[in-house]
Amino acid sequence: MADTTRRTGLHDLHIERGARMVPFAGWDMPVQFPMGVMAEHLHTRARAGLFDVSHMGQVLVTPGDGRIETAAAALETLIPADLAGLAPGRQRYGLFTNDQGGILDDLMVANRGDHFLLVVNAACAEQDIAHLRTLAGVRITPVTDRGLLALQGPEAEAVLARLVPGLGEMRFMDSRILDWNGADLWISRSGYTGEDGFEISVPEARLEEFARALLGHPEVAPIGLGARDSLRLEAGMPLYGHDMDGSVTPAQAALGWSIPKVRRRGGARAGGFPGAEVILPELGAPEVIRRGLRPEGRAPIREGVAIFAAPEGGEVLGHVSSGGFGPSVGGPVAMARLHVDLPEGGQVWAELRGKRLPVTLSALPFVSPSYKR
Amino acid sequence: MLKYTEDHEWLRAEGDEIVVGITRHASEQLGDVVFIELPEEGREVAAGEEIVVIESVKAASDITAPVAGVITGVNAALADSPGDVNGDPMAAWFFRIKPAEASAMDGFMDEAAYTALVE
């Protein structure tokens, strides 16, 4: 088979730093560095971790008539978020939905004054762009000449501020264009770890130079996809294709919070997006919803493991949608869509290698976020 | 006498028993080990039977019995500190097995052959 795996602009740097590379969503990506997943995870929570997320899709949505309201209105026909009310320099989390009420992808949308910047999942990027191109009155421009980094952790701000003055004024979910030695950095204060931090879009020609500048600070270590997954799992953040997909509604994915009042029934711009007639009535009362699970003992329960109501026999309540070991929690953590009436703190059983292990229903997230609001 | 299997286990002959662990190469491939389930002492096992479960941060793997025999001891301390497998894999033994056949160690790789395999 032909090797069509794509490489990010940091591929050589990853190899130089001893990364173990794996194919991910069509890209050759570092899953871990010599530090190892556990230490990388803990380093990010204690100091600052640098992630290459250049595989993610960056897309500009520009209004044909020059009015940002036109682009906001167009995007709102695909995304049940308040984008007309999104102030310049601010970013919001949103979902692309389908006609069945399921989730096509999750994304970040930033208002950059005269256009929107969208960041979408790598595996969905092509489909998302085609989906966006069905919109009238806007120009859709995939950004192909920039890489994307995430600098996450309690020391991320101090490190980045040394390179980029003016950064400290940014709050959680602010989006700015700031200069670094003549390179325009598209920075948002956000991430996928539950830590304070930044996502930084960098011109491809300056990407490696900028990554090296960050790694030159003693607080910063390179972090692979392995720790990215355990960090987001502990932070209770869903992963597209696992915790949600085209057959899972926003309410079932516990993402109803991303649909504001103004887009709900009775709101000024209620509905008007794919699947609204399924999604909106379900918001207050989904039958199943993404829940947290804390298995007893140390054995992780991973994606696909069946959850039962009883230690023997009984019905299957659902299946783990993502799970693993949480280094900061110090034990296994998992998520599954289960009935809303099961009480938090209550016990269910996970069937692992033919044995049923007790599992406690737990609130999400497993670790408290530390965003700078 | 130290021998190695193609499954990256090390075997150390001690009297009429064999002590079994995994190699540095295997522990590096696995990544950080977070959970280990050991067999019961006294269990009779067949060669190739999966008798140890290792969960790393990345995935679950099995360790097989290198030879047929009876499990005569397990390293229970590993259950509480599975990370020892990453720290010093040659010291972090999993189980002792009394082989059914005295010549059980024959046919496994010596250090030179194993080193050639993983390099």
Side-chain angles (χ1 to χ4, degrees), chain A residues 20 32 38 298 302 353, chain B residues 28 32 34 55-56 58:
Chain A
R20 185 181 304 167
Q32 68 168 84
M38 191 94 83
R298 290 182 61 92
R302 302 181 196 271
R353 297 180 277 269
Chain B
E28 284 172 357
D32 299 304
V34 296
E55 293 264 8
S56 76
K58 283 179 286 188

Side-chain angles (χ1 to χ4, degrees), chain A residues 69-357:
Chain A
E69 296 82 1
T70 302
L75 286 173
E76 285 194 359
T77 66
L78 301 182
I79 304 168
D82 178 10
L83 301 177
L86 182 62
R90 294 288 292 163
Q91 174 177 280
R92 213 157 250 172
Y93 176 81
L95 306 169
F96 287 120
T97 56
N98 65 24
D99 290 335
Q100 292 72 46
I103 300 172
L104 285 176
D105 196 7
D106 63 341
L107 74 158
M108 288 289 192
V109 186
N111 178 338
R112 303 215 305 174
D114 56 3
H115 66 274
F116 289 97
L117 167 64
L118 277 50
V119 178
V120 303
N121 281 301
C124 303
E126 203 173 316
Q127 166 206 296
D128 291 344
I129 289 162
H131 192 48
L132 286 163
R133 285 191 165 140
T134 63
L135 294 174
V138 291
R139 196 165 61 247
I140 305 303
T141 315
V143 178
T144 54
D145 57 353
R146 302 179 72 94
L148 191 64
L149 301 175
L151 185 69
Q152 301 280 298
E155 296 181 354
E157 179 182 5
V159 170
L160 194 55
R162 278 178 223 145
L163 299 178
V164 188
L167 188 84
E169 292 153 24
M170 291 180 69
R171 290 182 298 135
F172 181 60
M173 295 296 252
D174 273 351
S175 170
R176 296 274 184 281
I177 299 178
L178 296 173
D179 174 78
W180 175 70
N181 295 341
D184 60 323
L185 306 180
W186 303 350
I187 304 181
S188 67
R189 193 158 196 166
S190 53
Y192 195 45
T193 60
E195 297 299 319
D196 180 34
F198 301 86
E199 291 169 300
I200 312 152
S201 170
V202 187
E204 193 75 40
R206 307 291 299 278
L207 178 64
E208 185 179 324
E209 180 192 356
F210 184 69
R212 285 186 190 278
L214 289 172
L215 289 167
H217 297 260
E219 297 92 336
V220 182
I223 310 296
L225 291 179
R228 183 169 162 84
D229 192 52
S230 57
L231 286 158
R232 70 90 195 167
L233 178 61
E234 281 186 343
M237 293 167 163
L239 174 61
Y240 191 79
H242 301 262
D243 304 301
M244 55 180 160
D245 57 37
S247 69
V248 179
T249 62
Q252 292 164 0
L255 296 172
W257 58 267
S258 72
I259 305 176
K261 253 187 183 161
V262 69
R263 304 299 310 276
R264 297 186 181 207
R265 288 191 292 187
R269 298 194 311 284
F273 55 87
E277 64 289 352
V278 177
I279 291 169
L280 294 182
E282 194 195 18
L283 278 180
E287 211 166 290
V288 295
I289 191 165
R290 182 168 55 91
R291 314 276 306 257
L293 298 172
R294 287 289 316 269
E296 276 180 26
R298 290 182 61 92
I301 57 173
R302 302 181 196 271
E303 185 172 357
V305 166
I307 302 296
F308 289 86
E312 279 177 58
E315 55 167 330
V316 176
L317 299 173
H319 294 87
V320 171
S321 55
S322 50
F325 193 83
S328 303
V329 169
V333 290
M335 304 194 285
R337 282 184 306 282
L338 298 173
H339 203 280
V340 282
D341 290 341
L342 292 166
E344 196 173 299
Q347 198 168 68
V348 292
W349 280 264
E351 192 162 283
L352 197 61
R353 297 180 277 269
K355 280 182 255 175
R356 300 240 178 127
L357 304 177

Side-chain angles (χ1 to χ4, degrees), chain A residues 49-81:
Chain A
L50 181 66
F51 304 74
D52 180 9
V53 287
S54 301
H55 58 311
M56 297 189 77
Q58 305 177 61
V59 186
L60 303 179
V61 179
T62 312
D65 61 5
R67 298 174 65 246
I68 189 78
E69 296 82 1
T70 302
L75 286 173
E76 285 194 359
T77 66
L78 301 182
I79 304 168

Side-chain angles (χ1 to χ4, degrees), chain B:
Chain B
M1 182 173 56
L2 204 54
K3 291 280 187 87
Y4 298 86
T5 74
E6 287 178 356
D7 297 329
H8 307 285
E9 293 165 44
W10 55 258
L11 317 178
R12 192 173 62 234
E14 284 190 8
D16 59 355
E17 294 177 340
I18 299 172
V19 183
V20 180
I22 63 168
T23 64
R24 168 73 61 193
H25 175 81
S27 86
E28 284 172 357
Q29 291 300 312
L30 285 170
D32 299 304
V33 174
V34 296
F35 172 78
I36 294 175
E37 190 176 275
L38 296 164
E40 282 173 25
E41 283 182 34
R43 177 168 155 192
E44 202 168 317
V45 299
E49 191 176 337
E50 294 166 350
I51 58 172
V52 176
V53 175
I54 300 190
E55 293 264 8
S56 76
V57 285
K58 283 179 286 188
S61 324
D62 295 299
I63 302 294
T64 57
V67 298
V70 175
I71 303 298
T72 53
V74 297
N75 184 1
L78 275 189
D80 296 321
S81 54
D84 290 355
V85 173
N86 301 108
D88 187 358
M90 297 307 287
W93 62 282
F94 285 75
F95 56 87
R96 308 171 73 89
I97 186 166
K98 186 165 191 222
E101 292 173 26
S103 60
M105 286 283 271
D106 298 351
F108 290 110
M109 286 174 276
D110 61 14
E111 177 132 22
Y114 180 70
T115 305
L117 175 76
V118 297
E119 271 175 4

